[in-house]
Amino acid sequence: MKKRVILHFPPNVTGQPVIYYLAKDFNLVFNIIKASVSPGQAGSLVLELSGEHENYQGAIRFLTEVGVTIESADRNIIRNETKCTHCGACVTFCSVDAFSLDQKTRRILFDQGKCVLCGFCVVACPPRAMELHS
Amino acid sequence: MAKTIEQINQKIKKGEVVVVTAEEVISITRDVGIHEAVNKIDVVTTGTFSPMCGSGAFLNFGHPKPRIKFGGGKVYLNDVLAYAGIAAVDVFLGATSLPDDDPRNKTYPGEFNYGGGHVIHDLVSGKDIRLVASAYGTDCYPRKSLETLVNINDMNDAILFNIRNAYQNYDVAVNLSDKVRYTYMGILKPNLGNANYCSAGQLSPLLNDPYFEAIGVGTKIFLGGGTGLIAWHGTQHDPHTLRGTSGVPSRPAGTLAVIGDLKNMRPEWLVGTSMLGYGATLTVGVGVPIPILSEEILCHTLVTDADILTPVVDYSEVYPQRGESILGEVSYAELKTGHIRFGEKLIPTSSLSSYPKALEIAETLKLWIQKGIFTLTEPVAKLPGVWSNKVVEPLKERPIS
């Protein structure tokens, strides 16, 4: 199984090597999509976790016990193709360059693989073509 | 040999007209030469699809029973304020109007998810709209309030009347400050983080007729997916700005006021638009046919993105404070590579104007003319050109008392 989760760390947990145990004790493969964690401050982490279902359940219990709040990130930013006008405003405002310009057609390409679900484009796209689906 | 619009219309009727887009004319003329091109080509079609705040619609709903007079009262369409200070059941709905309870920039940057432009889009989509009106009541118009659903199909008139569209060239916006700026030119990252531009360049209507020789008041155009007319020069129309060697303005210059029947338009060409931290507006599709009446007119349609220069302006300080200085000039060819060079720095570029949609407009207009469903009209008056004394001045504030 593969799942995307957002982990919210309270300030007293950000100093602990919590993610290490996901691999060591629960045999989960993790891919860090986005991280904002500094010791002593509340932080958050977007992770893609893959592994056995039972191990995943165990990991969630462990994370909850150490004080991490878990939110499902099994959501996607999807481009509404009928609303997109291919103006290109998104090309520079996306912080991870998920949008690019096809030089030949002048149309805008959206690479969902690069998207870190920050949601900024949902309010920044002028014709509001970017939609959050959960 | 010089042609006339009447001769071109005869060719349209016979199905013999030769129409090309403002993009195609460049390579065709390069191949066959100016002399042959001017004989062969009858019309060059242009297009632009951009947010244009100077847009709005006049609506007449018909008289309810008993009657009401909106003038002096207030009218809301889907909560968006419409201007009621005209006749009894007419309003003007502007693209940038907002609901009274929109938080605007109180929660900065404001989202502006629904405004006048969005109501126009919903109207033209055929959706029912909530009309809520209050009035003071008179002997002849006794009613003081009205709440009803309205639909464009039931209205007596729905007329798109955009007082300033299709700017001939426009600034490139950058941000020299150290914080993000939310502007009508989009989101500008600090310290020259990006450069935003807004023109269809070589496809743009007025850049293909830089001296307004081929088009004028009364020219029939593609407007919002239907047809419209050039009604007048647009507000802030300035024929006296700096021009490059081929006569193409290298500053924001001419503009168009355009009018057309909203009932014949299409929602995909009138799109409600929200500029984060700035406001609501309407993205409008405009396409103008350029009749090739002379060699000079043809030569002006040969303009390429490399020929069109535009100023780079700081929108953190210089634009808001109405400063004069520019950071330099760039061509649309450079802008369209995705980067412009500023000293040692490469600045990524974004467009707010959709080139694929502009091309689709030019292609659509071409098809309409080829099929004979769109004929050209003779202008009835010139747009102010370099010969005119039309000037654009800033406001000189004077104390009231």
Side-chain angles (χ1 to χ4, degrees):
Chain A
M1 56 150 290
K2 195 187 259 190
K3 262 183 131 45
R4 272 191 184 195
V5 289
I6 304 169
L7 307 182
H8 298 283
F9 291 76
N12 61 327
V13 185
T14 44
Q16 299 174 30
V18 173
I19 302 307
Y20 164 73
Y21 292 107
L22 299 183
K24 183 174 171 285
D25 294 354
F26 300 99
N27 202 26
L28 292 178
V29 177
F30 61 86
N31 180 21
I32 300 173
I33 308 286
K34 189 184 178 189
S36 168
V37 181
S38 308
Q41 289 173 25
S44 67
L45 201 58
V46 183
L47 283 185
E48 191 171 78
L49 296 170
S50 43
E52 295 294 324
H53 183 69
E54 275 176 27
N55 286 339
Y56 173 77
Q57 296 289 350
I60 296 299
R61 266 196 304 278
F62 159 72
L63 289 167
T64 311
E65 279 162 17
V66 297
V68 174
T69 320
I70 302 133
E71 185 189 340
S72 169
D74 275 332
R75 54 185 190 187
N76 273 318
I77 299 279
I78 291 170
R79 182 164 73 180
N80 182 328
E81 296 298 337
T82 55
K83 280 185 152 186
C84 175
T85 64
H86 295 275
C87 67
C90 50
V91 171
T92 58
F93 69 55
C94 175
S95 59
V96 294
D97 295 331
F99 300 95
S100 60
L101 174 69
D102 182 328
Q103 280 291 345
K104 206 170 167 204
T105 62
R106 311 297 308 173
R107 290 169 74 87
I108 307 303
L109 310 172
F110 172 48
D111 184 348
Q112 221 165 10
K114 283 188 177 175
C115 174
V116 292
L117 302 170
C118 76
F120 185 62
C121 59
V122 175
V123 292
C125 164
R128 296 288 190 265
M130 303 308 295
E131 295 169 356
L132 186 66
H133 291 252
S134 45
Chain B
M1 189 191 79
K3 286 173 222 164
T4 64
I5 287 175
E6 182 50 39
Q7 285 166 338
I8 295 172
N9 280 338
Q10 288 301 325
K11 290 177 86 173
I12 295 174
K13 278 178 194 151
K14 287 182 195 158
E16 293 168 0
V17 70
V18 178
V19 193
V20 298
T21 67
E23 206 177 60
E24 292 164 336
V25 72
I26 299 165
S27 55
I28 292 171
T29 308
R30 200 179 290 143
D31 291 346
V32 305
I34 286 174
H35 186 69
E36 198 181 326
V38 79
N39 282 327
K40 198 174 146 194
I41 298 169
D42 300 309
V43 186
V44 171
T45 59
T46 63
T48 185
F49 190 67
S50 290
M52 302 188 199
C53 290
S55 304
F58 282 98
L59 308 170
N60 178 288
F61 302 101
H63 289 270
K65 187 178 177 179
R67 291 178 195 266
I68 189 169
K69 179 180 85 99
F70 293 155
K74 281 197 163 175
V75 175
Y76 295 91
L77 296 166
N78 281 357
D79 301 327
V80 176
L81 184 67
Y83 181 71
I86 40 176
V89 289
D90 295 281
V91 297
F92 178 75
L93 175 63
T96 66
S97 186
L98 293 171
D100 287 348
D101 62 357
D102 185 287
R104 293 160 166 80
N105 266 340
K106 278 178 192 154
T107 47
Y108 181 80
E111 294 184 9
F112 306 102
N113 289 310
Y114 198 84
H118 300 83
V119 181
I120 292 172
H121 176 81
D122 283 346
L123 270 170
V124 83
S125 302
K127 289 185 186 167
D128 281 342
I129 305 289
R130 281 176 286 110
L131 181 154
V132 175
S134 58
Y136 56 80
T138 71
D139 289 343
C140 46
Y141 292 95
R143 197 141 164 192
K144 291 186 175 170
S145 71
L146 174 66
E147 288 191 18
T148 178
L149 289 176
V150 291
N151 191 291
I152 190 170
N153 297 314
D154 304 327
M155 290 177 196
N156 294 317
D157 288 291
I159 301 163
L160 192 74
F161 191 2
N162 303 343
I163 203 65
R164 182 168 70 251
N165 275 183
Y167 238 119
Q168 189 180 31
N169 213 346
Y170 212 79
D171 293 348
V172 177
V174 294
N175 174 5
L176 285 177
S177 78
D178 57 6
K179 62 176 200 185
V180 181
R181 303 289 171 152
Y182 299 93
T183 74
Y184 71 87
M185 288 298 289
I187 298 155
L188 302 174
K189 293 181 179 177
N191 306 311
L192 298 170
N194 59 336
N196 288 0
Y197 64 100
C198 191
S199 171
Q202 63 191 18
L203 263 184
S204 185
L206 295 182
L207 289 171
N208 280 280
D209 187 18
Y211 292 107
F212 323 114
E213 293 162 316
I215 64 171
V217 175
T219 296
K220 191 161 75 173
I221 60 170
F222 173 110
L223 179 60
T227 58
L229 297 166
I230 295 175
W232 205 246
H233 64 267
T235 49
Q236 291 176 203
H237 175 91
D238 185 357
H240 302 297
T241 51
L242 273 180
R243 288 174 190 264
T245 44
S246 55
V248 178
S250 48
R251 297 290 181 275
T255 65
L256 296 177
V258 297
I259 193 164
D261 187 353
L262 193 62
K263 292 188 176 202
N264 293 331
M265 296 184 196
R266 307 275 315 148
E268 58 267 37
W269 299 112
L270 292 170
V271 176
T273 300
S274 306
M275 303 305 291
L276 190 65
Y278 177 74
T281 184
L282 183 70
T283 295
V284 183
V286 178
V288 177
I290 313 274
I292 302 302
L293 306 175
S294 70
E295 195 170 300
E296 198 183 0
I297 289 171
L298 174 85
C299 287
H300 284 139
T301 66
L302 303 178
V303 70
T304 66
D305 287 331
D307 305 324
I308 312 165
L309 296 178
T310 189
V312 180
V313 176
D314 168 43
Y315 269 59
S316 69
E317 188 64 24
V318 174
Y319 182 85
Q321 297 306 324
R322 219 191 68 206
E324 300 283 320
S325 65
I326 66 164
L327 295 165
E329 285 183 331
V330 287
S331 74
Y332 284 94
E334 285 170 85
L335 287 161
K336 286 182 177 179
T337 63
H339 291 89
I340 54 170
R341 186 169 283 285
F342 190 76
E344 292 295 292
K345 201 176 161 80
L346 269 185
I347 309 174
T349 58
S350 262
S351 171
L352 299 174
S353 174
S354 170
Y355 196 82
K357 291 282 178 189
L359 195 56
E360 204 178 323
I361 290 168
E363 293 283 0
T364 303
L365 188 51
K366 175 175 138 182
L367 198 69
W368 287 354
I369 298 169
Q370 285 171 336
K371 281 183 167 172
I373 54 178
F374 186 107
T375 52
L376 307 188
T377 58
E378 197 88 48
V380 292
K382 287 269 180 201
L383 295 170
V386 286
W387 48 267
S388 78
N389 55 9
K390 172 83 178 69
V391 289
V392 176
E393 295 287 356
L395 177 69
K396 291 179 191 76
E397 291 179 58
R398 291 180 293 129
I400 287 171
S401 56

